[in-house]
Amino acid sequence: MNFLLIDDTLPCLDRLRLTLEEAAPGCCCACFSASAPALAHARSYPLDIAFLEIKDDGGIALAKQLRQIQSGLHIIFVAEHKDYAFSAFEIHASGYLLKPVSLDAIRRELTFLYGDAPFSHAIQVQTFGGFEVSVDGVPLVFKRAKAKELLACLVDRRGAGLTTREACSLLWEDGVYNTARKNYFQTIVYDLRQTLQTADIASLLVKSRNWIAIRAEVLDCDSYRFLDGDPQAMNRYRHNYLPSYSWAEFTAGKMEGL
């Protein structure tokens, strides 16, 4: 899980980070004491929840800016008192916690948002010799080939996002980028989301306005293992990384150099 933490009091920020790491082992916490670098981070990396300190209307404004960047982002406010609770829920915040934030309070919020096991499914991704995805051993079936290719693009990016224009340039080599192409791309995204929803892994996809990514940390992927130096994955590689997709040549070249 990817968390964004913003608090201008460093001890509070560090305490919240430690609590989150205990509540959600393996999570990634990006911590900031100012809004500008936090917004820059949100533009580059997919996030699940932003924990924002709220002392005045600036916290509400920051939440709105983050939602413009990542529309599906959950916002949980962290405050000294309840004075801003009404304003928080006016913008549909997912939670409102009082300092000092306890471990039990964090666990309650995560359970409310994701249930007891937000990532209970095993997602296996094959990129060597062709692209295939299975969930708990059951292969995903894609309605459109381009939806499958889009997911392959996002796997190749390993959590880094793509803008709509970037994604279209990869999926269609003719270079045409117009309203019809953008509209069709949204259809592809919708199909991909439906496929993931059917397999109960819709949370794998992270999307905001004109931007899309996946949560790569939940995947068991052969190429990720290869790039991380796993000996078994390196032995299985036969110079055949995503052979059906020309845009994969950059990553393939990097793998050849290892």
Side-chain angles (χ1 to χ4, degrees), residues 131-144:
F131 182 68
E132 300 296 338
V133 181
S134 62
V135 180
D136 298 331
V138 179
L140 285 186
V141 178
F142 297 86
K143 181 179 177 181
R144 286 182 168 89

Side-chain angles (χ1 to χ4, degrees), residues 58-69:
I60 300 294
L62 177 57
K64 291 179 178 178
Q65 289 177 285
L66 287 168
R67 283 268 180 78
Q68 289 176 349
I69 297 170

Side-chain angles (χ1 to χ4, degrees), residues 131-209:
F131 182 68
E132 300 296 338
V133 181
S134 62
V135 180
D136 298 331
V138 179
L140 285 186
V141 178
F142 297 86
K143 181 179 177 181
R144 286 182 168 89
K146 285 298 181 185
K148 183 177 183 179
E149 185 176 356
L150 173 58
L151 183 56
C153 284
L154 297 174
V155 168
D156 180 71
R157 299 281 291 183
R158 200 170 182 174
L162 285 170
T163 66
T164 299
R165 181 182 287 274
E166 288 170 338
C168 288
S169 70
L170 293 173
L171 295 176
W172 291 281
E173 295 183 350
D174 59 19
V176 175
Y177 186 71
N178 52 27
T179 300
R181 178 61 53 81
K182 288 187 287 185
N183 288 342
Y184 185 57
F185 176 74
Q186 294 308 317
T187 300
I188 297 301
V189 172
Y190 176 80
D191 281 356
L192 175 57
R193 180 173 286 170
Q194 291 298 107
T195 297
L196 299 179
Q197 181 66 54
T198 300
D200 195 30
I201 57 167
S203 60
L204 176 66
L205 197 65
V206 181
K207 188 178 185 306
S208 63
R209 187 173 180 271

Side-chain angles (χ1 to χ4, degrees), residues 5 12-23 29 103:
L5 284 57
C12 292
L13 190 63
D14 194 51
R15 190 179 304 117
L16 178 58
R17 176 184 60 80
L18 292 172
T19 305
L20 283 166
E21 288 175 348
E22 184 174 356
C29 294
L103 178 61

